[in-house]
């Protein structure tokens, strides 16, 4: 870019490692300067960020732990996560100025991306851009791969989804209904329960905060037991689900959001159910199934166009509100997929 200008660049920095639940104090707003030029020979792109994704897995990157599948954030550095961005300069033949892309970017207004292997161009123009952080992005693919590849569903099976109104859970439930299953979801407010039943098409739903005994709650909704449990919560919910699984049931362990904010996670007491009920419980990462991504993108986009899939977002406006939006994930403040809008231009 000839005569590239320098602009003020609002950023969100990671301040310090944590042990409990994240707080807004773990992040810091700063305004720096950015030169809107890609270094020659770098193969990178300069982007203007439009939408950023708030995802629970990012809590794991706030711990000083190097044994995970992804390295932790570094104190004093810009937080990074999935985003939708517009290319404003490129030194890579695969990306042109004005391309809209999605992938890992910085929590800032402008980002220089040198590792472009994970960037994808947005080719579909009839679906909202922010949906590439949910419905057609990592959460959507997590739901798709986890449900079809890990759960191996059969028509008529009984499916339970925890954190069912979240970015992943809302899609798992709808995919299960499309597959001919009976679906019950749990959520943390009566409003979310209403959305699950009346907007997302779940057969039943309940507010776990109103249930003093989760075992009895699940027995009420699944008197003959659960075939598939899509696990997003952990703790007491997982213990109760284990007691209610049917023989040869499947549990896809996608997340344990109830344990993200505690330094001493709860143990699970009912693991003997895995043995005598012959239950298969499996953790997974969506990245294990990337060979299925083109199939997923085509199917989910078509489901959306046909009105077979509804997607709910919770959009915070402005980068300055990103820390609050992220922290809210761990108290259930959001309804639907949490996104931060940086710019609509």
């Amino acid at each position: 870019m000839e005569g590239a200008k320098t602009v003020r660049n609002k950023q969100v920095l990671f301040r310090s490692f944590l042990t409990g639940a994240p707080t807004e104090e773990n992040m810091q707003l700063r305004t720096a300067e950015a030169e809107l030029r890609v270094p020659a020979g770098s193969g990178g792109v300069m982007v203007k960020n439009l939408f950023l994704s708030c995802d629970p897995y990012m809590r794991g990157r706030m711990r000083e732990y190097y044994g995970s599948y992804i390295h932790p954030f570094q104190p004093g550095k810009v937080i990074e996560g999935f985003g939708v961005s517009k290319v404003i300069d490129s030194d890579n033949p695969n990306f042109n100025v004005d391309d809209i892309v999605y992938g890992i970017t910085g929590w800032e207004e402008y980002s220089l991306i040198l590792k472009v292997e994970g960037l994808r161009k947005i080719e579909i123009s009839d679906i909202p851009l922010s949906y590439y952080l949910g419905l057609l992005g990592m959460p959507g693919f997590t739901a798709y791969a986890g449900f079809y590849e890990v759960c191996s569903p059969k028509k008529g099976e009984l499916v339970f989804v925890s954190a069912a109104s979240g970015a992943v859970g809302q899609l798992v439930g709808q995919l299960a209904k499309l597959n001919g299953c009976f679906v019950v979801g749990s959520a943390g407010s009566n409003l979310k329960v209403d959305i699950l039943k009346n907007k997302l098409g779940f057969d039943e739903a309940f507010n776990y905060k109103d249930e003093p005994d989760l075992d009895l709650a699940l027995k009420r909704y699944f008197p003959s037991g659960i075939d598939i449990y899509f696990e997003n919560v952990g703790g007491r919910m997982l213990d109760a689900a284990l007691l209610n699984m049917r023989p040869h049931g499947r549990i896809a362990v996608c997340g344990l959001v109830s344990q993200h904010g505690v330094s001493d996670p709860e143990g699970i007491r009912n693991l003997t159910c895995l043995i005598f009920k012959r239950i298969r419980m499996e953790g997974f990462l969506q990245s294990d199934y990337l060979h299925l991504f083109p199939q997923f993108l085509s199917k989910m986009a078509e489901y959306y166009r046909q009105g077979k899939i509804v997607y709910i977002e919770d959009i915070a406006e402005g980068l300055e509100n990103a820390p609050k939006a992220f922290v809210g994930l761990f108290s259930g403040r959001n309804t639907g997929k949490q996104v931060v809008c940086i710019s609509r231009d």
Side-chain angles (χ1 to χ4, degrees):
M1 181 185 290
E2 292 296 329
K5 64 178 180 179
T6 298
V7 297
R8 294 172 67 81
N9 187 25
K10 196 181 301 180
Q11 302 173 317
V12 178
L13 306 184
F14 178 55
R15 295 186 69 178
S16 58
F17 292 117
L18 52 87
T19 55
T23 68
E24 293 181 51
E25 286 66 40
N26 295 124
M27 293 162 274
Q28 175 185 351
L29 285 168
R30 180 183 75 175
T31 300
E33 291 188 340
E35 185 179 14
L36 304 185
R37 181 201 304 270
V38 180
S42 67
V45 295
M46 175 67 70
V47 300
K48 178 180 181 179
N49 293 313
L50 306 178
F51 294 94
L52 299 176
S53 179
C54 295
D55 296 298
Y57 84 89
M58 297 168 69
R59 158 67 178 83
R61 299 194 67 186
M62 293 181 167
R63 298 180 302 153
E64 192 173 15
Y65 177 67
Y66 296 87
S68 183
Y69 66 96
I70 188 168
H71 284 173
F73 296 134
Q74 292 304 303
K77 301 292 186 181
V78 175
I79 289 174
E80 61 181 19
F82 287 97
V84 172
S85 313
K86 181 178 181 179
V87 176
I88 58 176
D89 190 28
S90 176
D91 187 53
N92 190 298
N94 296 317
F95 299 97
N96 299 313
V97 172
D98 291 334
D99 280 348
I100 305 297
V101 298
Y102 66 112
I104 296 294
T105 188
W107 275 31
E108 55 190 349
E109 293 174 297
Y110 299 93
S111 293
L112 173 62
I113 302 175
L114 298 178
K115 296 180 180 179
V116 299
E117 295 79 11
L119 281 185
R120 292 186 173 94
K121 287 186 189 180
I122 292 180
E123 309 284 2
I124 303 171
S125 60
D126 62 335
I127 293 177
L129 290 180
S130 58
Y131 280 23
Y132 283 85
L133 300 180
L135 175 67
L136 300 181
M138 182 274 289
F141 189 48
T142 298
Y144 183 89
F147 183 63
Y148 288 117
E149 299 301 311
V150 180
C151 297
S152 303
K154 302 178 186 68
K155 185 176 180 179
E157 288 194 310
L158 311 177
V159 178
F160 174 48
V161 185
S162 56
S165 67
V168 175
Q170 61 173 297
L171 291 174
V172 172
Q174 292 180 83
L175 291 174
K177 288 302 299 176
L178 289 172
N179 205 66
C181 298
F182 173 81
V183 186
V184 177
S186 65
S189 74
N190 293 333
L191 171 63
K192 292 178 181 180
V193 168
D194 182 67
I195 288 171
L196 290 175
K197 293 196 291 186
N198 297 316
K199 189 164 185 176
L200 298 177
F202 283 60
D203 293 290
E204 289 289 350
F206 64 91
N207 182 349
Y208 71 88
K209 294 178 182 177
D210 291 340
E211 301 290 347
D213 189 323
L214 293 174
D215 176 32
L216 291 180
L218 291 178
K219 282 180 168 57
R220 189 165 71 246
Y221 291 102
F222 296 99
S224 61
I226 300 167
D227 292 302
I228 292 172
Y229 173 35
F230 201 94
E231 164 68 302
N232 291 307
V233 171
R236 294 190 308 117
M237 190 68 82
L238 176 55
D239 251 337
L242 283 165
L243 291 175
N244 287 276
M245 296 299 294
R246 300 176 80 177
H248 303 288
R250 286 87 71 204
I251 301 175
V253 184
C254 174
L256 302 170
V257 73
S258 73
Q259 305 302 295
H260 279 256
V262 297
S263 55
D264 185 20
E266 295 177 57
I268 303 301
R269 298 174 297 173
N270 297 321
L271 289 176
T272 53
C273 295
L274 296 176
I275 302 169
F276 65 83
K277 293 186 179 184
R278 289 87 76 203
I279 299 166
R280 178 167 59 85
M281 185 163 73
E282 181 179 349
F284 72 99
L285 299 175
Q286 53 87 25
S287 55
D288 296 335
Y289 300 95
L290 289 178
H291 60 286
L292 298 176
F293 194 86
Q295 175 191 107
F296 149 77
L297 199 60
S298 174
K299 284 190 175 182
M300 292 297 271
E302 195 57 32
Y303 284 152
Y304 176 74
R305 292 190 189 100
Q306 294 172 352
K308 293 180 178 179
I309 288 281
V310 174
Y311 201 62
I312 297 173
E313 293 181 308
D314 193 326
I315 298 182
E317 297 286 342
L319 183 64
E320 64 276 8
N321 290 312
K324 180 179 180 180
F326 174 71
V327 169
L329 292 177
F330 303 96
S331 61
R333 187 187 302 150
N334 60 302
T335 299
K337 167 63 188 166
Q338 183 66 67
V339 175
V340 179
C341 178
I342 307 303
S343 173
R344 298 184 186 272
D345 180 13

